[in-house]
Amino acid sequence: MRLLAILGVLLAAFVLSPTATAAESPTAKRPKIGLVLGGGGARGLAHVGVLEQLERLRVPIDCIAGTSAGALVGGVYSSGMPLPEIRRQVESADWEKLIGGTPDRRNLPYLRKQDDFKNLAAMTLGLDSDGVKLPRSVVNSQFIDAFLRELTQDLVIDSFAHMPIPFVAIATDLESGDMRVFKDGDLAVALRASMAVPGAFDVMQDKGRLYVDGMFVRNLPVENIKSKAPEGCGADVTIVVDVGTPMLKRDDIKSFLDVAAQAMNIATGRNVLESRKLIGERDILIEPDLNGYTPASFTEAKDIIERGRKSVASVEARLGELSVPEADYQAWASHVSSRTTKEAVHYDRVEVAETRFVPPKRVEEVLTAPPTPTNQDELLARFNKLYDSGDFDGINYRLREENGQRIASVAPIERQVGPNYLRFGIDLAFDTYRTANVALLANYQMTWLNQWGAQWRNFLRLGAGGELESEIYQPLWGSPVFAYGTVKGGNALFPVYSENGSKLMELEIRHAGVEVGLGYSLGRYGELRAGALTGKISNEMTTGVLGSLTTEQLDSTLRGFRVSGVVDQLDNPKWPRHGYYLRTDYGLANMDSNSSKHNTAQLLSVDGDVVGTYASYTLRGSARLRGSMDQDLAGIATPYQLGGFLQLSGLRANQLSGAQTALARVMVYKQISTLLPQLGSGTYVGGSLESGKVWNQLINGKNTATIPSASVYLGIDTLLGPLYVAVGWSDYMGGKWGGYLYLGYTK
């Protein structure tokens, strides 16, 4: 009897002990509820709205399995981040930047920006002794990686089952095609691997393996929730949220993009059908109505989340059966929130892995220079600065413990196509004056020729306005000072028109020259240069007279010096929305020719732009001044020209020629649609008001009056450059109308 009494006391003490009370969690007296969040790109943001409704209905979740966007939302929620904060992060994120992978152009070193006004295609190739190298992804993942780091708060854990809500993420092993279930380790790595859409984002590396989006093996991971531990959650009831893109109908498949999208749907649709077969009678399937939203509709996050909220209405009664009393739900919620990371993780040391072509010292100067980063915010700020250099596809890190210290091991991933870069482009110009000009462009740069950052830059233009330019750029002593040497040459046709626009003659101009000098880098703002130059120019003039041809050639030699300065803070060279640009170029040169000796010319060029966006409209003001400061033609080997789209719209291209030209212009445009970041920014409509003047015209020596002009246009920002379809009018010689099709930058 005494023994039974002792046992009874011990049993009572055990039942009433804090340990037993903790074990008696809200999950003990109810079915175990698992949540499956499927992949679907931006459509997966509907998961946030579904979770909000589950919280409103007091449905506690015991485990979550997610793929792709489902892994993103599910993993962050499982880590304990409150839903209002998740919604705020998702809605306030700059998705165009995150998905586009392009840094803010205003923060880039000017050396990276100086070729932007040549119409080179967005894709960059590599070229070295091994041949041509292709990039491994369309866009870089630097910003999405940083976003995931911020969301997961540096959570590294021995098992995701120990998170506030047990969680697994699904990814695809790129080498074997097998499924990888991420159950432990670095949460940011797991989420990134699960959402690494092939071709769009770079693959994710982990423990020597390469991973891509889990949609290819299990886009709707029902089995991972239903199977028993340790392989799965062993849920009694499963809530499945399917946000996958439905198959396209025959009539909807109209372009190669539609074909690619349908192929992706087929690749994922098969495994989704198999997963849906596992949904039982007790389980609940939620399918948000996401008609009109694609996997790329991230900028419409708020509306997609709302669609997720509304989708719960049809199953609300069944979800109500899983609801628990307020007190029990608050106990569950407290258990989840109590394990949320409260403070930033502190780093005791930062280590940097070896680099392939960028000198390690240059990397360490950015990443580990005192004061050494001690937390995530400080480290990610250093990453942004290093990424802006243009030498890296991404910079990420892993945390590890060693001898009681927390170490951030940084892995700078140099550009797959680097250090030598090859780009191509095309310029097209057609108008209703029957002008047709086509030019092919190529740009080849060799970077990091030495530890001080020397570069060899080459540009080739074939076709209208043929040109070849080669420059050596050498920073000196690790300072902003640099030396440069440039060799350039080319040929172009120079038309001369009468006052009414009839072509009188055409000159073929051939030029070649050398310039050497010193410069000073202004970092991301621009640069200053001063150099000595010499060159030769040959003008061959062909004139039609009564059906016969006569030719006259004028050869000139130039010697002098040039100083220039540029400040470039435009956010986008194609369709800027904010920023400013200023370039000034002054040259003093003597010209000897076979018709005159020692003509001295002072040549000035000034280009300025100021851009601002107000509501949904962008206003861009521009001013251009070019030519001889004393407006004298005698010292100018090639007169300056004006005319054409956005340069007195309505006139022929380069219709007016003289010793000096000036142009003032105001453009207004509005973006009316968006494109995938991999294809361009979108479609625009706009118009311009212009005013220009030419001094000492080549044909008659007179100055023109101030000429007002205007245009309206439709524009598309494409991977090949800005495309314009436009109509222009100019108040010149009784009024001139012109139509234009341009692919390329306007001056």
Side-chain angles (χ1 to χ4, degrees):
M1 292 291 295
R2 184 175 181 183
L3 178 60
L4 291 175
I6 293 172
L7 290 174
V9 171
L10 291 175
L11 179 60
F14 176 78
V15 170
L16 297 175
S17 69
T19 303
T21 302
E24 191 74 16
S25 69
T27 65
K29 297 180 180 179
R30 59 175 177 79
K32 191 173 188 180
I33 302 172
L35 179 63
V36 174
L37 301 179
R43 294 163 61 96
L45 300 180
H47 294 316
V48 178
V50 173
L51 286 168
E52 289 177 343
Q53 293 296 77
L54 294 180
E55 287 195 349
R56 180 182 67 82
L57 296 170
R58 300 196 306 273
V59 178
I61 302 300
D62 298 301
C63 50
I64 298 177
T67 299
S68 196
L72 169 64
V73 175
V76 176
Y77 186 66
S78 295
S79 72
M81 179 176 285
L83 263 180
E85 176 62 14
I86 295 176
R87 182 173 186 133
R88 186 191 69 80
Q89 292 273 12
V90 167
E91 290 183 351
S92 63
D94 184 349
W95 286 105
E96 289 187 2
K97 177 180 178 181
L98 294 179
I99 303 302
T102 304
D104 187 337
R105 182 179 181 275
R106 291 170 291 187
N107 295 330
L108 304 182
Y110 176 69
L111 200 59
R112 279 195 66 187
K113 297 186 281 192
Q114 66 178 357
D115 291 326
D116 282 354
F117 294 97
K118 297 180 174 74
N119 196 46
L120 299 167
M123 177 175 285
T124 300
L125 309 176
L127 180 63
D128 56 22
S129 58
D130 295 327
V132 176
K133 297 186 291 185
L134 297 175
R136 205 159 53 180
S137 61
V138 177
V139 298
N140 293 331
S141 58
Q142 176 63 30
F143 298 120
I144 198 71
D145 287 343
F147 184 60
L148 293 176
R149 283 288 173 195
E150 292 169 351
L151 289 178
T152 58
Q153 300 175 308
D154 278 335
L155 179 60
V156 180
I157 191 168
D158 59 353
S159 173
F160 291 167
H162 299 155
M163 289 168 58
I165 302 175
F167 169 75
V168 294
I170 309 300
T172 304
D173 189 312
L174 185 59
E175 298 175 71
S176 67
D178 296 333
M179 179 175 62
R180 163 75 187 274
V181 181
F182 279 85
K183 302 178 181 178
D184 53 40
D186 192 322
L187 181 59
V189 171
L191 303 188
R192 173 67 174 76
S194 184
M195 57 189 294
V197 180
F201 293 125
D202 198 0
V203 299
M204 190 65 195
Q205 301 184 44
D206 184 57
K207 298 178 181 178
R209 306 296 293 180
L210 301 177
Y211 296 100
V212 295
D213 199 300
M215 64 179 171
F216 297 107
V217 288
R218 192 169 288 170
N219 200 46
L220 202 63
V222 177
E223 185 174 340
N224 299 87
I225 287 294
K226 285 184 165 290
S227 59
K228 301 297 183 181
E231 295 303 318
C233 170
D236 301 310
V237 178
T238 302
I239 301 171
V240 181
V241 187
D242 188 354
V243 294
T245 306
M247 300 288 282
L248 297 174
K249 303 298 183 184
R250 180 186 180 94
D251 292 342
D252 296 328
I253 303 175
K254 300 176 181 178
S255 70
F256 74 94
L257 295 175
D258 298 327
V259 173
Q262 185 74 331
M264 194 75 74
N265 293 338
I266 293 171
T268 60
R270 300 299 181 187
N271 69 68
V272 168
L273 288 175
E274 293 301 314
S275 295
R276 289 178 64 132
K277 292 178 182 178
L278 301 175
I279 300 175
E281 292 183 0
R282 296 184 65 189
D283 302 328
I284 300 172
L285 174 63
I286 300 174
E287 296 180 278
D289 177 10
L290 297 171
N291 185 39
Y293 299 98
T294 73
S297 301
F298 285 97
T299 56
E300 300 177 87
K302 186 174 183 179
D303 294 335
I304 293 175
I305 291 173
E306 190 58 31
R307 291 288 185 96
R309 288 177 59 88
K310 292 179 178 179
S311 69
V312 176
S314 62
V315 294
E316 187 166 328
R318 295 190 61 194
L319 289 171
E321 299 173 3
L322 302 176
S323 179
V324 299
E326 179 69 27
D328 289 349
Y329 188 79
Q330 289 303 321
W332 173 85
S334 297
H335 166 75
V336 172
S337 63
S338 66
R339 299 177 66 177
T340 304
T341 303
K342 301 296 183 183
E343 297 180 358
V345 174
H346 177 81
Y347 310 151
D348 297 299
R349 194 165 81 244
V350 175
E351 295 180 347
V352 182
E354 292 186 5
T355 46
R356 179 165 54 95
F357 58 82
V358 180
K361 180 180 179 181
R362 298 286 183 170
V363 178
E364 292 170 359
E365 284 175 353
V366 177
L367 295 182
T368 61
T372 303
T374 60
N375 58 53
Q376 183 185 87
D377 288 345
E378 294 176 1
L379 191 58
L380 291 181
R382 300 287 184 98
F383 284 3
N384 288 339
K385 185 176 181 181
L386 187 62
Y387 183 61
D388 287 345
S389 70
D391 294 314
F392 299 90
D393 281 331
I395 308 105
N396 213 327
Y397 66 97
R398 306 289 177 91
L399 294 179
R400 75 174 195 274
E401 298 281 344
E402 185 178 292
N403 298 326
Q405 288 190 324
R406 185 176 287 110
I407 301 170
S409 298
V410 180
I413 304 172
E414 290 161 296
R415 293 183 70 175
Q416 173 75 12
V417 297
N420 306 322
Y421 307 103
L422 179 64
R423 295 174 67 188
F424 295 98
I426 185 171
D427 275 347
L428 301 175
F430 302 96
D431 62 34
T432 52
Y433 291 104
R434 293 181 293 179
T435 301
N437 290 322
V438 180
L440 301 178
L441 316 177
N443 181 283
Y444 181 58
Q445 300 178 21
M446 300 180 69
T447 67
W448 292 107
L449 297 175
N450 56 37
Q451 62 178 320
W452 299 283
Q455 296 191 13
W456 184 25
R457 311 169 66 88
N458 301 275
F459 176 72
L460 174 66
R461 179 186 181 96
L462 295 175
E467 180 182 357
L468 175 63
E469 180 177 345
S470 182
E471 177 178 279
I472 291 291
Y473 178 97
Q474 175 65 72
L476 301 178
W477 314 294
S479 73
V481 179
F482 62 88
Y484 69 92
T486 305
V487 178
K488 64 174 62 177
N491 70 291
L493 295 178
F494 186 99
V496 179
Y497 298 97
S498 67
E499 289 187 275
N500 64 9
S502 300
K503 184 183 287 188
L504 297 177
M505 64 185 72
E506 196 167 62
L507 288 75
E508 182 182 4
I509 300 176
R510 296 183 296 274
H511 64 91
V514 177
E515 181 178 342
V516 294
L518 296 174
Y520 187 89
S521 172
L522 302 175
R524 67 187 183 96
Y525 291 100
E527 67 177 20
L528 304 173
R529 291 192 179 204
L533 59 87
T534 183
K536 290 185 177 295
I537 298 178
S538 176
N539 298 344
E540 184 174 346
M541 181 168 55
T542 303
T543 305
V545 180
L546 297 177
S548 64
L549 295 176
T550 63
T551 61
E552 178 182 344
Q553 181 166 315
L554 177 66
D555 296 319
S556 304
T557 301
L558 292 174
R559 295 183 181 86
F561 71 91
R562 184 174 74 96
V563 294
S564 63
V566 59
V567 173
D568 184 351
Q569 284 291 283
L570 295 177
D571 63 338
N572 181 339
K574 301 177 183 178
W575 298 94
R577 297 175 64 84
H578 302 280
Y580 52 90
Y581 177 90
L582 177 65
R583 182 182 186 92
T584 61
D585 194 315
Y586 170 79
L588 178 63
N590 288 325
M591 182 177 71
D592 295 336
S593 68
N594 53 10
S595 63
S596 62
K597 297 289 185 181
H598 302 300
N599 288 315
T600 301
Q602 296 186 74
L603 306 179
L604 180 67
S605 174
V606 180
D607 289 44
D609 287 274
V610 177
V611 187
T613 297
Y614 310 93
S616 57
Y617 292 89
T618 299
L619 183 67
R620 179 179 184 180
S622 306
R624 308 280 188 263
L625 175 65
R626 296 187 174 97
S628 167
M629 293 184 65
D630 54 13
Q631 300 172 13
D632 183 8
L633 279 168
I636 301 176
T638 305
Y640 294 83
Q641 297 174 299
L642 194 61
F645 176 54
L646 295 180
Q647 302 176 78
L648 296 185
S649 299
L651 298 184
R652 288 177 176 268
N654 301 321
Q655 179 173 330
L656 304 176
S657 303
Q660 189 180 87
T661 65
L663 175 71
R665 180 178 66 216
V666 175
M667 300 171 64
V668 178
Y669 47 89
K670 174 183 174 66
Q671 186 172 357
I672 58 174
S673 70
T674 59
L675 298 172
L676 285 170
Q678 295 83 359
L679 300 178
S681 66
T683 306
Y684 300 79
V685 292
S688 69
L689 294 176
E690 308 150 31
S691 179
K693 185 178 178 69
V694 178
W695 286 265
N696 196 356
Q697 293 185 82
L698 177 64
I699 196 64
N700 58 20
K702 297 179 181 179
N703 302 338
T704 69
T706 300
I707 305 169
S709 300
S711 75
V712 292
Y713 53 83
L714 172 70
I716 306 175
D717 180 13
T718 76
L719 288 180
L720 296 177
L723 175 67
Y724 298 90
V725 179
V727 175
W729 173 85
S730 183
D731 185 13
Y732 180 72
M733 299 294 291
K736 299 289 185 180
W737 287 91
Y740 306 93
L741 173 64
Y742 272 58
L743 176 63
Y745 294 94
T746 57
K747 299 178 182 178

